[in-house]
Amino acid sequence: MPAGAEPAEPLCSRKQQTDLGNALKALGYTTKDDMLGVVTAWVGREINGSKDLTVSEAKQLTDELVAAAQQQADVDTQQEDVVDDDGVLPKPVDADTDAACLAGTN
């Protein structure tokens, strides 16, 4: 190593690779090509897989993906169907059917 040069950061562990893969899957990236595309775009350099990431890159990206998945889960929870007082989901309104019913033509 040249004098004054800092050692390169170690590459991520197998556990970090697994955690990253799980975080990607939680956001709907299920194919290797999709996953690789997200990771390559995020890191800003050509990589062949998560094994090419450094420890800090893998941690930061996984943390960001986990946070994004949690945000999505929070939004999904807020958008759950609301049940009427009688415990029945309201039916979607169809304007044409309602108009026909009101006109007595159905």
Side-chain angles (χ1 to χ4, degrees):
M1 179 183 328
E6 294 184 32
E9 184 178 358
L11 296 178
C12 66
S13 67
R14 183 68 186 137
K15 180 176 180 342
Q16 284 184 297
Q17 293 172 31
T18 300
D19 291 346
L20 177 58
N22 289 337
L24 286 161
K25 288 176 186 172
L27 287 171
Y29 301 102
T30 57
T31 68
K32 183 178 179 179
D33 287 341
D34 287 346
M35 291 180 186
L36 188 57
V38 169
V39 174
T40 298
W42 183 87
V43 79
R45 69 175 189 278
E46 191 65 33
I47 61 169
N48 295 315
S50 60
K51 67 184 179 307
D52 294 340
L53 297 175
T54 64
V55 169
S56 63
E57 288 171 335
K59 180 180 179 348
Q60 184 178 355
L61 179 54
T62 301
D63 289 349
E64 289 179 19
L65 292 169
V66 167
Q70 183 59 50
Q71 280 183 324
Q72 184 60 48
D74 291 346
V75 167
D76 291 347
T77 299
Q78 292 172 358
Q79 294 177 348
E80 287 182 0
D81 290 327
V82 178
V83 178
D84 286 341
D85 290 337
D86 61 359
V88 178
L89 288 174
K91 294 182 181 176
V93 176
D94 176 41
D96 291 337
T97 302
D98 279 356
C101 183
L102 290 171
T105 59
N106 64 343

